[in-house]
Amino acid sequence: MGRFIARRLLHAIPVLLATTFLIHTLVFVLPGDPIQGLAGDRPVPPAVLAELHDRYHLDDPLLVQYGSYLAGLLSGDFGTTFSGQPVADVLARRWPVTVKLALTAWFFETVLGIALGVWAGLNKGRWADRLVLAGTTVVIAVPVYIVGYLAQLFLGVRLGWFPVSGEEAGWPTAYLLPGLVLASFGLAYVARLTRSSLAENLRADYVRTADAKGLSRRRVVVKHTLRNSLIPVVTFLGVELGSLMAGAIVTEYIFNLPGVGQQVFQSIQLREGPTVVGITTALVMVFVLANLLVDILYGLLDPRIRHA
């Protein structure tokens, strides 16, 4: 198992380097002067402009800029905003909101998605199966911002079940509705994936053998079939946790949650390159770590994977 984990760690290093380089390049290759862009129509004194260009290495070649950023990253420095504030401080202030939102959404995906998938898989071809398939298809087809605004209107404004904006109500109350909206797309995929995997495994030879031995239906499903059926679901949920951390920009904007996604959106508008690069690098690291944990858990669930 140790060699398996070491191999996965070695695979994660080039992925992290490639993604951070791509993000840095896409942000700083944009035309125009970001310092002048921050000032708007007001002229920036040449001495101030030269000082800021030198401090943020804006006149250096792209590879030199990335090398300087990578050297700071290895020492735990995610960069400094154009206003002189460490990006790590911005992350520390915004990160708890995004983590609470992502974990709330992930909980909905895990519990509701697997429950709906098991319900549909055990009733394949019946009305329950058709209901789950139809409902998840509709959810997948509708964009998340439409789902968000409709949820705000009907569940928040008209019915008054949930707060519609901000985090004044605290966790979990303020995060239930945005968490459900954020989870809607992934929840539909978890339900369909669980349903397909369970229905396929219920036709396997080992299930027929267990039934022939006289084992109860519940034991066959819970102890034998469900464990194998959850292997692809665990893979998806692990990757999805990283995606939820990075994909909350629209949801945080709709529900006015002061998280990392909202900060990225504002920084893109202001052309705050160091902030965008630092935050997205942190999100990439979370995503890579989530994938690493999924690989390890996958190896624990299926010994054939770690011994391959």
Side-chain angles (χ1 to χ4, degrees):
M1 192 65 186
R3 293 177 61 187
F4 175 77
I5 296 174
R7 287 199 303 268
R8 290 298 182 266
L9 282 171
L10 291 176
H11 292 165
I13 293 174
V15 173
L16 186 60
L17 290 175
T19 50
T20 53
F21 176 74
L22 182 61
I23 292 168
H24 191 278
T25 302
L26 291 176
V27 170
F28 286 102
V29 80
L30 294 175
D33 190 335
I35 304 298
Q36 185 63 58
L38 286 174
D41 296 331
R42 294 172 298 176
V44 180
V48 174
L49 198 63
E51 168 64 23
L52 292 175
H53 273 236
D54 181 67
R55 181 184 304 175
Y56 294 100
H57 308 283
L58 296 179
D59 294 330
D60 294 339
L62 189 61
L63 288 176
V64 176
Q65 291 184 38
Y66 176 70
S68 300
Y69 174 72
L70 190 61
L73 187 63
L74 292 175
S75 62
D77 182 11
F78 285 89
T80 306
T81 68
F82 287 142
S83 60
Q85 185 181 13
V87 176
D89 291 349
V90 178
L91 276 169
R93 186 173 64 252
R94 297 273 188 161
W95 194 259
V97 175
T98 298
V99 170
K100 286 186 284 189
L101 176 60
L103 290 179
T104 304
W106 196 73
F107 174 81
F108 283 133
E109 288 191 16
T110 303
V111 176
L112 296 181
I114 292 178
L116 289 173
V118 171
W119 186 43
L122 295 176
N123 296 278
K124 186 179 179 182
R126 302 175 185 174
W127 67 269
D129 184 28
R130 291 192 290 268
L131 179 63
V132 171
L133 289 177
T136 53
T137 300
V138 171
V139 171
I140 292 173
V142 179
V144 65
Y145 60 87
I146 299 296
V147 176
Y149 285 126
L150 289 177
Q152 270 188 326
L153 177 62
F154 290 104
L155 300 180
V157 177
R158 295 192 176 179
L159 296 177
W161 290 353
F162 305 99
V164 296
S165 179
E167 59 166 353
E168 289 77 13
W171 188 88
T173 305
Y175 292 84
L176 291 176
L177 188 58
L180 188 59
V181 170
L182 182 61
S184 58
F185 193 80
L187 188 153
Y189 270 108
V190 170
R192 295 174 74 94
L193 187 59
T194 305
R195 176 255 180 198
S196 300
S197 183
L198 182 62
E200 180 181 354
N201 282 304
L202 284 173
R203 299 194 302 268
D205 291 338
Y206 69 88
V207 174
R208 287 195 291 267
T209 302
D211 287 333
K213 287 181 177 181
L215 297 179
S216 66
R217 188 62 173 170
R218 176 172 178 168
R219 186 176 181 185
V220 171
V221 171
V222 175
K223 186 175 180 180
H224 298 281
T225 314
L226 191 58
R227 179 178 177 179
N228 290 331
S229 301
L230 288 181
I231 291 177
V233 179
V234 167
T235 303
F236 178 83
L237 285 172
V239 176
E240 181 69 2
L241 180 59
S243 301
L244 289 173
M245 296 288 187
I249 296 177
V250 175
T251 307
E252 289 181 1
Y253 175 78
I254 293 174
F255 291 93
N256 193 30
L257 293 174
V260 172
Q262 186 189 71
Q263 181 64 54
V264 170
F265 182 79
Q266 294 173 350
S267 299
I268 291 174
Q269 289 182 313
L270 297 173
R271 292 199 60 184
E272 269 275 2
T275 308
V276 175
V277 172
I279 291 178
T280 50
T281 298
L283 295 176
V284 167
M285 293 173 69
V286 170
F287 191 84
V288 170
L289 179 60
N291 276 273
L292 177 62
L293 293 177
V294 167
D295 286 341
I296 296 173
L297 186 57
Y298 205 102
L300 291 174
L301 290 173
D302 191 348
R304 295 171 299 177
I305 300 297
R306 66 174 181 265
H307 294 307

